[in-house]
Amino acid sequence: MKRLLGGVLLAALIVAPFVPMGGMRQYVFHVVIQIFIWSFIGNAWSLMGRFGLVSLGHGAFLGVGAYTTTLLWNFYGLTPWIGVFVAVAAAVALALIVAYPCSRFGIVGHYFGLVTLAVGEVIRLLLIAERDWTGGSLGLTLKTAGDASFKALQYADKRVFYYGALVVWLGGLWVWHRLDRSMARAAMEAIGEDETAAASVGIHVSRFKLAITSLSAGLTAVGGVLYAQYIAYVNPETLAGVGVSLRIVFAVVLGGMYSLLGPTVGTALTITLSEYLRVKFGVHYIGMAETIYGLVLVIIIIFLPSGIYGTLRGLVGRRRTGAAAARA
Amino acid sequence: MSALLDLVFHNPLLLAEAALNGLLLGGVLALLALGLNLIFGVLDIVWIVYVDLAMLCMYLVYFTVQVYHWPLILGALAGVGLGVVLGVAVHLLIITPILGSPPVNQLLATGGLLFFIQSLATFLWTTDHRSVRLTLPTIEFAGMFVSFARLIAFGLAILVMLGLYLFLTRTYIGTAIRAVSQDRGAMALMGANPQRVYIVTSAVGGALAGVAAALLIIQYSVHPYFGAAFGPITFMICVLGGLGNMFGAFVASFIMSEIISIGGVAWSTEMGYVIAFALFIVLMFIRPGGIFAKRQ
């Protein structure tokens, strides 16, 4: 039943670009591509977040990823296909530099959140300070390579990015699923509950933490690269720092970080909500859309602590077990 | 590095001026850090939204003084009053319903409020920078130029912190607040009402944000992203001093403000912050419980 539903959904996503949508076509594509990319990033974040490693600085990895490929392409003409490996390596290196001491010296909880927040700010401020080659707070436009180029990973046709983002998003879900089924998950859960107890039963705490952080950072960098390629413009405010880092966390928490589709549902909701509000209020009431967005976030966090998708699944699960109990 | 050495050897006066400005900035930052730390010590929650509350108070002072032509003292008092109201409101509306939830959710709830306040301010007052124009002189002291407004702000900040110290050590409710921050469970066992302590703490924390706002508005202009500019550094100060450790936060404020001020003169404002944050990260690794944590 579940597999069938998933299959139908996937088939619908694959044929979606061929459905006639009229004048709204480009816009709908744009929104859906963004949902794929940010869901993937949220998914990467939740790999850590679900085990109590709440990072408030994932913007750092996003920014490192996006700027690495963009700068390599703009200054050295290096194709993003190779650049992405450099970007991932850079993000993983940064993750290790931060995560190793954090895990070595037992920085957890609030402290971990605030250290990562500082890392995100450092990257954002460095990008602004090094304005000679990063463009500072004005951002940087990707050098165009003509109309459509495989080498530059630049396409005017949104369908290319649609399928690309779809594949990347599915890849992210696959990683999440694999982790969910592995022994690493059990180990990480134990670490999240009580590090000392986990270590006492022979779990290598540091190794697991570093591995999961590197994985999360690397995938986030991939998301950053994809976003930069799609938008063809990078900016320190939208790709690094506290703002974007919190946005990632919000989307995931909104959907629910303990379930496979939670980050996706959360991201789809936040992006749809903000797009809807943006279109509705437009340029007349600047800030109104974001105001409602913030209010909705607070209300959901207070009343649905396990997220929308998590709560729904919990409700369905309870009814099912209730029915099973009645039958027995 | 050479930029700093250059400053030390060729322009010591400029360096001294930067150091003095850092000291004066530190006083006001310390107010914010102490308020945030007080709340953290008692409630075990980081109010990500804290500096944005101060931003709202700054707007109030701006409007009362600049638009409605109230005397500055009255405007400042109104700002402090708003701080108290906001502090209590955040506690009752946002924190109380989720006191039992995981810390992440509590942190994020105040984070959502941050988005709300930031965008509401943009919506209501646009992104214009607004400042209270004071005709205060600049004082020349041994060849250094210091703004009188900053000097006053620093003096008042120190006075208010002294008052906070007396409140926490000499009054009954202050003693109760310190008791809760030492052991939350024991407090209820002694028959005291934690909710009352929480509300007083939030009110005092809000009031400190209001005082800081009144002192900030005479030096800086206010805009909807003011909280984003001063927020992260305030958290860093609290963590550096040790979350919940008031003395630590006080000292850390001056360390950070000196780095920002001197770094800003030697390189650029952003680099000043980069160095401050980087130092924070490194210090966290060396002393995870803050610079004044007792060794275990």
Side-chain angles (χ1 to χ4, degrees), chain A residues 253 256 258 299-308 311, chain B residues 98 101-102 105:
Chain A
V253 171
Y258 302 104
I299 292 171
I300 286 179
I301 290 168
I302 292 178
F303 293 106
L304 298 176
S306 51
I308 291 176
T311 308
Chain B
I98 52 169
S101 331
N105 282 20

Side-chain angles (χ1 to χ4, degrees), chain A residues 15-39:
Chain A
V15 297
F18 299 100
V19 176
M21 279 178 280
M24 291 289 282
R25 185 183 193 86
Q26 293 296 319
Y27 177 66
V28 171
F29 267 138
H30 176 65
V31 173
V32 176
I33 291 168
Q34 291 212 54
I35 291 177
F36 281 146
I37 297 177
W38 289 104
S39 298

Side-chain angles (χ1 to χ4, degrees), chain A residues 87-113:
Chain A
V88 168
V92 169
L94 177 67
L96 288 177
I97 291 171
V98 178
Y100 176 73
C102 273
S103 128
R104 174 78 182 69
F105 299 112
I107 295 170
V108 289
H110 289 309
Y111 287 88
F112 184 75

Side-chain angles (χ1 to χ4, degrees), chain B:
Chain B
M1 211 57 228
S2 61
L4 188 64
L5 291 177
D6 191 55
L7 201 63
V8 172
F9 291 114
H10 297 110
N11 221 334
L13 207 59
L14 198 62
L15 181 72
E17 195 176 291
L20 189 60
N21 273 322
L23 181 76
L24 298 184
L25 171 69
V28 183
L29 276 183
L31 267 186
L32 286 172
L34 286 185
L36 190 63
N37 229 352
L38 181 71
I39 294 167
F40 180 86
V42 172
L43 284 144
D44 207 21
I45 293 175
V46 180
W47 282 17
I48 295 276
V49 73
Y50 190 70
V51 183
D52 295 78
L53 299 181
M55 175 203 69
L56 287 181
C57 300
M58 286 172 81
Y59 269 111
L60 185 77
V61 179
Y62 167 81
F63 280 113
T64 51
V65 173
Q66 207 66 31
V67 180
Y68 298 106
H69 304 293
W70 291 18
L72 184 61
I73 301 289
L74 270 184
L77 285 177
V80 177
L82 180 67
V84 172
V85 172
L86 287 174
V88 174
V90 168
H91 180 72
L92 290 182
L93 297 178
I94 312 274
I95 304 297
T96 308
I98 52 169
L99 257 181
S101 331
V104 186
N105 282 20
Q106 300 175 340
L107 194 102
L108 290 176
T110 62
L113 190 64
L114 179 152
F115 268 95
F116 173 71
I117 290 180
Q118 241 176 39
S119 355
L120 188 69
T122 312
F123 172 60
L124 291 176
W125 306 306
T126 72
T127 50
D128 293 351
H129 287 229
R130 298 158 196 267
S131 58
V132 170
R133 272 176 290 280
L134 284 183
T135 44
L136 285 177
T138 302
I139 297 173
E140 195 189 338
F141 170 73
M144 297 180 289
F145 291 93
V146 181
S147 130
F148 195 56
R150 287 192 170 191
L151 217 54
I152 292 180
F154 178 76
L156 285 175
I158 295 291
L159 272 182
V160 169
M161 282 186 271
L162 206 62
L164 178 70
Y165 174 76
L166 291 176
F167 167 75
L168 286 176
T169 51
R170 301 291 153 84
T171 64
Y172 182 77
I173 187 80
T175 312
I177 287 175
R178 283 187 300 134
V180 178
S181 64
Q182 277 173 14
D183 192 331
R184 269 213 280 180
M187 174 77 181
L189 290 178
M190 298 300 136
N193 179 3
Q195 178 70 352
R196 201 169 83 97
V197 175
Y198 293 164
I199 289 178
V200 173
T201 307
S202 304
V204 174
L208 287 172
V211 175
L215 299 180
L216 281 168
I217 192 76
I218 57 176
Q219 317 171 42
Y220 299 93
S221 49
V222 63
H223 51 94
Y225 294 95
F226 189 86
F230 274 81
I233 193 73
T234 311
F235 308 138
M236 300 309 126
I237 288 170
C238 289
V239 179
L240 200 58
L243 279 170
N245 182 339
M246 303 298 266
F247 178 69
F250 180 76
V251 176
S253 303
F254 290 100
I255 297 177
M256 290 302 233
S257 64
E258 286 297 344
I259 294 172
I260 292 170
S261 185
I262 294 174
V265 173
W267 294 279
S268 66
T269 315
E270 292 91 10
M271 280 316 276
Y273 276 94
V274 167
I275 295 167
F277 286 149
L279 180 84
F280 159 77
I281 297 169
V282 172
L283 279 175
M284 272 320 284
F285 296 150
I286 302 171
R287 311 226 53 173
I291 37 178
F292 294 104
K294 291 183 186 74
R295 279 191 188 278
Q296 286 169 348

